[in-house]
Amino acid sequence: MNTLYFDHCASAPLHRQVAETVYEVMKLHYANAAALHRAGKEALKLVDRARLGLAAGLGVKPGEIVLTSGGTESNNLALKGIWGRRGRPAKHLITTTVEHASVYRCAKQLEGTGVDVTWLQVDEFGRVRIEDVVAAIRPDTVLVSVMHVNNETGTVQPIREIGAALARFPHVRFHVDGVQAIGKVPVCLREWGIDMYSGSAHKFQGPKGAGFLFVREGLQLEPLLAGGSQEEGVRGGTHNVPGIVGMAQAFRLSTESAEERRNRMFALRRRLLAIAADIPELVLNGYGAAEEERTAPHVVNLSYPGMRPEVLVHMLEEHGVLVSTQSACSSKSLQPSRVLRAMGLGDDRATGSIRISFGDEHTEQDIDALGERLRLTVRKLKPLERSRA
């Protein structure tokens, strides 16, 4: 029995071409990109070329790309960095109750230091209301941080509309966690009024340990760590040259045929939703096939109400299917999903949920095989459900 990997939201498989590139760079360009000798300058050229490619793909200037170690660092730099540069007492942050842990916990830390945080509620699909964002803005609001694609449900937030609304408040900066969005949904940083945007390479088939933060020109951030002068002094530390080069290549590969890939993944998602609808024990969390403009194409979140998530995950693994509960960063807690609870779902659904996320390697046959193994898993767990009743 072949193993089916359906956990792309946690980490996507490294693209074959990217793996070859990373290996070649590791083998040939091992010098420190900050070194003054020729080998160092050659490594720096690779970094600069990668930055140029990322900027071109995002429609921004190369100097607006800060290279980081991944999404968590990018999100922390955006939220914490903006407060350190203000030169006056911390004031007001607006975010949502369904953010990834790297934003949610960062905001909690800032709250503990005196930052006033407004936690916006979401609807039953996990979507924030634009009017709630606008209503929360105060004269002392510094930052609004709203994720682009939810990492558990795939819900797409109305980023374009929020950016347009915030244009009326020039004192407010707009940060977007785009980690689950790149290569999956459209993004227009300039047109949508986004000031900072986070990305992570291993979510779009690049290497782990590489990420970026778009920082609009003129916006200055305080470094998280004291160190060298890399990244214009915003992010010190030796450049991960192979990771950065691999990230730029993976970004290009994931975005150059984005619409075709998106349509293909939506077709797979519709197929999976039809299968899940025929398994009465399973309940969909998030948007169905009729609202595809409000959801990402690669994520399906299902609940088996009353069943422990680790039981579902391990039973599926026994049948050759790898999925997640919640986000990978929170899955070991085995607590009800904070995101699903924020959507107003009961603890039964928030606890017994699994996240299925797929990518380019999957076919209709893979979805059908997943469906059969889901049915088999539910049949085997049904007696356990009755014994718990």
Side-chain angles (χ1 to χ4, degrees):
M1 179 174 58
N2 64 315
T3 298
L4 298 174
Y5 182 81
F6 283 102
D7 200 13
H8 274 240
C9 281
S11 193
L14 186 63
H15 195 288
R16 179 185 55 80
Q17 294 179 37
V18 175
E20 293 170 356
T21 297
V22 169
Y23 172 71
E24 286 300 310
V25 175
M26 291 181 72
K27 183 172 65 173
L28 300 175
H29 299 280
Y30 43 81
N32 191 318
L36 295 178
H37 49 63
R38 184 173 58 206
K41 291 179 180 178
E42 289 174 353
L44 183 59
K45 284 181 182 178
L46 293 178
V47 171
D48 290 341
R49 191 179 306 157
R51 192 193 313 274
L52 188 63
L54 289 168
L58 290 166
V60 302
K61 298 178 181 178
E64 294 177 310
I65 299 295
V66 177
L67 300 168
T68 70
S69 64
T72 292
E73 182 187 348
S74 294
N75 286 336
N76 273 259
L77 179 59
L79 267 68
K80 294 177 179 175
I82 198 167
W83 299 102
R85 283 285 185 178
R86 300 200 62 78
R88 58 185 175 81
K91 295 294 183 182
H92 185 225
L93 164 68
I94 300 171
T95 189
T96 83
T97 54
V98 295
E99 297 299 308
H100 183 269
S102 59
V103 168
Y104 183 84
R105 292 176 183 169
C106 183
K108 286 290 186 182
Q109 286 185 335
L110 289 170
E111 204 170 29
T113 66
V115 175
D116 191 6
V117 180
T118 294
W119 299 93
L120 298 176
Q121 301 301 312
V122 295
D123 63 20
E124 66 271 26
F125 299 105
R127 206 164 195 253
V128 71
R129 289 170 284 268
I130 301 161
E131 54 268 30
D132 290 348
V133 177
V134 174
I137 294 174
R138 310 185 323 208
D140 61 350
T141 302
V142 173
L143 182 68
V144 172
S145 181
V146 178
M147 70 192 327
H148 198 164
V149 171
N150 188 270
N151 53 292
E152 291 190 33
T153 65
T155 295
V156 177
Q157 299 293 355
I159 299 301
R160 182 206 301 263
E161 293 83 357
I162 293 172
L166 292 179
R168 309 200 311 267
F169 305 92
H171 67 288
V172 178
R173 300 302 182 186
F174 187 24
H175 166 250
V176 177
D177 172 3
V179 166
Q180 296 291 350
I182 295 170
K184 312 299 192 310
V185 299
V187 57
C188 302
L189 300 180
R190 294 274 187 231
E191 293 87 339
W192 296 358
I194 297 171
D195 294 299
M196 294 181 284
Y197 194 88
S198 304
S200 183
H202 75 108
K203 306 298 187 180
F204 49 86
Q205 292 193 276
K208 296 178 181 66
F212 68 86
L213 178 66
F214 160 72
V215 182
R216 186 180 290 274
E217 189 175 45
L219 179 59
Q220 294 187 331
L221 302 177
E222 187 73 16
L224 293 180
L225 302 172
S229 58
Q230 294 93 342
E231 300 304 296
E232 302 298 324
V234 176
R235 200 270 181 184
T238 303
H239 282 109
N240 173 11
V241 180
I244 292 166
V245 173
M247 172 171 62
Q249 184 182 24
F251 180 90
R252 177 178 59 79
L253 291 170
S254 68
T255 55
E256 63 184 4
S257 57
E259 185 173 357
E260 177 186 341
R261 294 172 58 252
R262 186 160 53 247
N263 291 336
R264 183 175 172 277
M265 282 191 281
F266 266 131
L268 296 179
R269 186 178 189 271
R270 288 191 290 271
R271 195 178 189 93
L272 177 56
L273 290 179
I275 292 170
D278 200 38
I279 306 175
E281 293 81 4
L282 300 181
V283 183
L284 173 66
N285 303 312
Y287 287 107
E291 301 100 356
E292 286 185 349
E293 75 281 358
R294 293 191 170 194
T295 188
H298 65 302
V299 189
V300 172
N301 190 296
L302 300 170
S303 283
Y304 187 156
M307 191 60 61
R308 295 291 297 174
E310 70 273 20
V311 174
L312 279 167
V313 169
H314 293 316
M315 180 68 78
L316 283 168
E317 186 173 9
E318 287 182 13
H319 297 306
V321 175
L322 305 181
V323 300
S324 284
T325 68
Q326 306 181 37
S327 70
C329 298
S330 305
S331 60
K332 290 184 174 64
S333 71
L334 302 182
Q335 297 297 313
S337 163
R338 170 175 53 82
V339 170
L340 298 187
R341 292 184 77 177
M343 292 162 57
L345 305 183
D347 279 355
D348 274 1
R349 280 176 67 176
T351 299
S353 66
I354 58 172
R355 178 188 64 187
I356 300 167
S357 51
F358 38 87
D360 292 335
E361 78 271 22
H362 293 115
T363 64
E364 291 183 351
Q365 290 73 27
D366 292 328
I367 297 297
D368 292 342
L370 168 63
E372 285 305 313
R373 298 177 199 185
L374 276 170
R375 289 190 184 94
L376 180 59
T377 295
V378 170
R379 278 202 304 269
K380 288 190 173 183
L381 290 177
K382 194 69 177 171
L384 178 59
E385 178 191 343
R386 286 196 294 269
S387 70
R388 291 164 57 93

